[in-house]
């Protein structure tokens, strides 16, 4: 592809250009005078010349040939753009006169414009008319959320979208196109994500990750057009965010609230929502070390790992105080309340092993209610707490039960991760009930440090070639009629054996799987590029 060269040219390129121009001029000019660049032919060799009248007019010069371009091809980006309408032209590259401008009435895009200007090392001109060589950002149109239209013509680029996120994703396309090929190709790009929720979840409870590491992942997610990062910050091994209401539960290594606010501010500037998770009624070991009186004891008086006694009003009070505190810290639309792997439900006869739970279930929900009903009621109550703070609740799929007295609230989003546990329900059951589901298929999307319990580190290739958002369990997709209920997917990092990898090793290990996940959440269709080409592009775009 040819490039539009801006600015003064010097050196060999200028000489070559001058020679080419001179050659074209010589070939197209019919004059035989001294200024024609050739000697006049001898009279004896051209009778036509010698006999022509002296007043004969020389033929008009023929126009020099204009530069032509092949039809453009789509830019090389991750994720790939959904549609590119090719055109002929040089495209756009960040030359010395280039700048980033904001269209009148789109002042909200100042942060996006400044970021792109810094990344491309060109001028930021603010709200101004677009000139030659500029990239213009504009809000407008009636497209889908997070969509954008990118038009490259006449040496300029214009990105429009109905919301700031869409325009931002257009700037990511410009950034990657320049990095991969040096130019944004001529033509029109129409782009939008297939799924509204596209993210990464990190278990910062079992392993402490620094604020800087999390911020680096947020920047990585933004370039991949992913829009969520979940922080699982409470588990048996640790409670990793500073608390004002219950400082006694916080682990020595933790994030301060100032660091969390900094993380949130960066994420919001890059159109990423930070989703907090406090898992209960299981996985509360760190909290219960400070409140041993709330541990769940079986009939022999033996505590179960991480389980809180949900028959005690004090248990709900403690967890709800934490939920309300962190709902105030995290401004996003979601709060994950856990609900998985409650150890009281893993024994053969929960009522016999935990008679206090069975009694509490009967008192609250009637004589036919079971310990499962009490656990389902706990989930509903915690969801109601975060809903009261303006959040949508998320919960793990193994906290939703069938056939009981109590049904899980249909407004809770199901995060489906496993079908391997005893009594696990297949994903189609949740969908048939009309529930909304997010895909965290542990077959493809679980990166478990140390690879315990038959887990293996997922590969980008398997995700890229086999997985789609409809593949919720194992490797089989649910029927297409459920597609609209599947809100998206999340790649999850779990730190079961926290010392198995360093922070740097985790970042390196998830790089390609994250890139592949972003591709399939943006466009679930079979990719046109081979895995080898995709991987090579991912390496090119690193920086």
């Amino acid at each position: 592809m040819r490039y539009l060269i801006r600015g003064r040219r010097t050196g060999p390129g200028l000489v070559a250009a001058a020679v080419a121009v001179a050659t074209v001029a010589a070939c197209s000019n019919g004059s035989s005078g001294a200024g024609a660049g050739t000697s006049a032919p001898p009279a004896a060799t051209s009778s036509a010349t010698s006999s022509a009248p002296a007043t004969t007019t020389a033929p008009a010069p023929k126009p020099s040939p204009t530069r032509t371009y092949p039809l453009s091809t789509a830019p090389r980006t991750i994720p790939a753009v959904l549609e590119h309408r090719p055109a002929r032209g040089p495209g756009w590259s960040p030359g010395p006169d280039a700048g980033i401008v904001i269209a009148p009435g789109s002042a909200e895009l100042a942060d996006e414009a400044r970021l792109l200007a810094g990344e491309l090392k060109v001028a930021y001109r603010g709200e101004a008319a677009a000139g030659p060589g500029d990239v213009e950002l504009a809000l407008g149109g009636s497209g889908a959320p997070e969509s954008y239209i990118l038009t490259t013509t006449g040496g300029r680029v214009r990105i429009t979208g109905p919301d700031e996120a869409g325009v931002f994703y257009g700037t990511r396309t410009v950034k990657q196109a320049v990095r991969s090929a040096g130019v944004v190709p001529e033509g029109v790009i129409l782009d939008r994500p297939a799924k509204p929720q596209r993210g990464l979840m990190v278990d910062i409870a079992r392993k402490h990750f620094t604020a800087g590491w999390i911020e680096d992942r947020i920047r990585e997610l933004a370039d991949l057009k992913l829009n969520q990062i979940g922080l699982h910050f409470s588990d048996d091994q640790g409670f990793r965010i500073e608390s004002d209401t219950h400082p006694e539960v916080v682990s020595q290594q933790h994030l301060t609230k100032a660091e969390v606010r900094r993380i949130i501010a960066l994420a919001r500037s890059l159109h990423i929502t930070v989703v907090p998770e406090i898992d209960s009624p299981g996985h509360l070991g760190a909290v219960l070390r400070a409140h041993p009186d709330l541990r769940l004891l079986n009939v022999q008086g033996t505590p179960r790992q991480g389980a809180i006694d949900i028959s005690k009003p004090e248990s709900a009070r403690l967890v709800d105080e934490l939920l309300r505190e962190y709902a105030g810290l995290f401004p996003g639309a979601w709060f994950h309340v856990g609900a998985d792997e409650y150890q009281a439900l893993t024994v053969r006869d929960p009522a016999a092993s935990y008679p206090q739970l069975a009694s509490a279930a009967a008192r609250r929900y009637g004589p036919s209610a079971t310990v499962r009903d009490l656990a389902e009621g706990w989930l509903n109550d915690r969801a109601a707490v975060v809903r009261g703070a303006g959040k949508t609740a998320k919960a793990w799929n193994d906290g939703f039960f069938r056939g009981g007295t109590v049904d899980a609230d249909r407004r809770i989003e199901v995060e489906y991760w496993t079908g391997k546990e005893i009594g696990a329900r297949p994903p189609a059951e949740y969908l048939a009930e009309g529930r909304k589901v997010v895909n965290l298929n542990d077959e493809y999307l679980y990166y478990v440090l140390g690879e315990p319990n038959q887990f293996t580190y997922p590969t980008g290739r398997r995700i890229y070639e086999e997985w789609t958002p409809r593949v919720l369990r194992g490797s089989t997709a649910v029927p297409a009629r459920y597609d609209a209920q599947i809100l998206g997917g999340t790649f999850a990092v779990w730190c079961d054996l926290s010392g198995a990898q360093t922070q740097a090793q985790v970042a390196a290990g998830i790089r390609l799987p994250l890139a592949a996940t972003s591709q399939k959440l943006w466009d679930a269709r079979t990719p046109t590029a081979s895995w080898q080409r995709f991987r090579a592009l991912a390496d090119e775009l690193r920086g």
Side-chain angles (χ1 to χ4, degrees):
M1 178 177 291
R2 300 189 181 188
Y3 300 90
L4 180 63
I5 303 175
R6 300 187 178 278
R8 184 182 179 192
R9 291 184 292 185
T10 59
L14 180 59
V15 172
V19 169
V21 170
T23 301
V24 170
C27 292
S28 61
N29 191 340
S31 171
S32 60
T38 59
S39 300
T45 62
S46 178
S47 59
T49 300
S50 60
S51 61
T55 58
T56 299
T57 303
K62 298 177 182 178
S64 298
T66 58
R67 180 176 296 180
T68 60
Y69 298 90
L71 274 176
S72 60
T73 57
R76 297 170 64 240
T77 62
I78 297 176
V81 300
L82 200 65
E83 180 182 355
H84 175 251
R85 297 176 180 174
R88 298 184 188 277
W92 178 90
S93 57
D97 299 325
I100 313 298
V101 302
I102 304 167
S106 299
E108 301 95 321
L109 298 173
D111 288 345
E112 289 77 11
R114 288 191 184 94
L115 176 64
L116 184 62
E119 290 168 332
L120 299 182
K121 297 179 174 56
V122 300
Y124 166 66
R125 306 196 215 282
E127 196 167 332
D134 285 344
V135 175
E136 181 184 35
L137 310 185
L139 289 172
S142 57
E146 299 184 294
S147 66
Y148 68 92
I149 299 173
L150 190 157
T151 304
T152 305
T153 186
R156 304 182 190 184
V157 174
R158 179 177 170 85
I159 304 171
T160 61
D163 53 30
E164 293 177 53
V167 176
F168 174 70
Y169 295 141
T171 69
R172 301 305 84 194
T173 295
V174 169
K175 176 184 176 181
Q176 290 194 28
V178 170
R179 179 166 289 179
S180 63
V183 64
V184 181
E186 200 85 3
V188 179
I189 292 168
L190 297 93
D191 208 9
R192 66 186 183 279
K195 293 298 178 182
Q197 294 190 36
R198 310 176 302 280
L200 166 70
M201 190 231 73
V202 183
D203 171 13
I204 67 171
R206 293 181 176 92
K207 181 181 182 68
H208 174 64
F209 288 87
T210 64
W213 187 92
I214 296 170
E215 288 168 333
D216 285 344
R217 300 290 74 71
I218 288 171
R219 295 184 184 95
E220 183 178 358
L221 299 182
D223 279 354
L224 293 172
K225 302 185 175 82
L226 298 170
N227 63 4
Q228 284 185 0
I229 182 167
L231 298 180
H232 176 93
F233 68 90
S234 171
D235 212 300
D236 296 343
Q237 293 80 0
F239 191 101
R240 302 291 183 180
I241 296 179
E242 176 186 0
S243 173
D244 298 320
T245 62
H246 289 282
E248 74 280 0
V249 308
V250 179
S251 301
Q252 183 177 3
Q253 282 189 310
H254 64 270
L255 299 173
T256 67
K257 285 192 173 180
E259 288 176 317
V260 171
R261 291 187 183 99
R262 193 180 79 201
I263 288 167
I264 291 169
L266 173 64
R268 292 182 75 176
S269 73
L270 299 175
H271 303 281
I272 293 171
T273 300
V274 184
V275 180
E277 180 188 353
I278 296 178
D279 200 348
S280 77
H283 295 281
L284 280 171
V287 170
L288 293 174
R289 279 196 291 274
H291 294 271
D293 54 313
L294 299 181
R295 294 178 299 172
L296 177 65
L297 307 179
N298 67 13
V299 71
Q300 288 84 28
T302 303
R304 290 304 299 266
Q305 175 67 29
I308 199 167
D309 190 337
I310 60 177
S311 71
K312 294 182 176 181
E314 298 85 359
S315 296
R317 187 176 307 119
L318 171 62
V319 172
D320 289 351
E321 286 170 354
L322 290 169
L323 290 173
R324 291 189 180 99
E325 176 180 0
Y326 292 103
L329 177 62
F330 291 89
W334 295 274
F335 203 117
H336 203 304
V337 296
D340 65 313
E341 298 181 317
Y342 187 43
Q343 294 299 305
L345 300 176
T346 63
V347 299
R348 183 166 53 183
D349 188 346
S353 295
Y354 302 99
Q356 74 275 34
L357 299 184
S359 297
R363 286 194 305 271
R364 183 167 183 185
Y365 300 114
S368 63
T370 66
V371 175
R372 275 192 172 184
D373 291 311
L374 191 67
E376 206 79 291
W378 174 277
L379 168 59
N380 287 342
D381 290 344
R382 308 296 72 79
V385 169
V386 300
R387 192 178 305 115
K391 314 291 185 187
T392 295
K394 292 176 173 287
W396 299 112
N397 69 282
D398 48 330
F400 295 75
F401 307 112
R402 68 161 80 86
T405 300
V406 181
D407 190 34
D409 193 303
R410 301 301 173 97
R411 292 169 289 184
I412 304 170
E413 293 179 2
V414 180
E415 300 234 311
Y416 197 96
W417 69 280
T418 184
K420 298 175 181 176
E421 297 196 343
I422 296 173
R425 302 169 62 193
E429 284 195 18
Y430 301 84
L431 296 163
E433 292 172 356
R435 298 187 186 277
K436 295 180 178 179
V437 176
V438 178
N439 191 326
L440 287 96
N441 186 338
D442 64 352
E443 179 77 16
Y444 293 92
L445 305 180
Y446 261 37
Y447 190 94
V448 185
L449 266 60
E451 301 181 305
N453 302 319
Q454 298 181 320
F455 282 107
T456 57
Y457 292 129
T459 68
R461 181 169 191 161
R462 283 199 70 206
I463 297 168
Y464 187 76
E465 294 181 343
E466 301 175 15
W467 180 81
T468 74
R470 288 199 289 117
V471 179
L472 285 156
R473 176 181 180 176
S475 58
T476 303
V478 298
R481 65 179 179 274
Y482 294 128
D483 188 70
Q485 290 173 241
I486 302 171
L487 301 176
T490 298
F491 188 87
V493 176
W494 292 103
C495 302
D496 292 41
L497 300 176
S498 61
Q501 289 190 342
T502 65
Q503 290 187 123
Q505 287 172 325
V506 173
I510 68 175
R511 183 179 66 86
L512 288 173
L514 260 183
T517 302
S518 79
Q519 175 61 47
K520 302 305 281 289
L521 288 171
W522 193 265
D523 184 355
R525 297 174 301 179
T526 301
T528 56
S530 68
W531 165 251
Q532 289 76 15
R533 288 176 58 196
F534 182 87
R535 178 170 186 163
L537 176 59
D539 290 340
E540 286 180 45
L541 296 176
R542 293 178 70 180

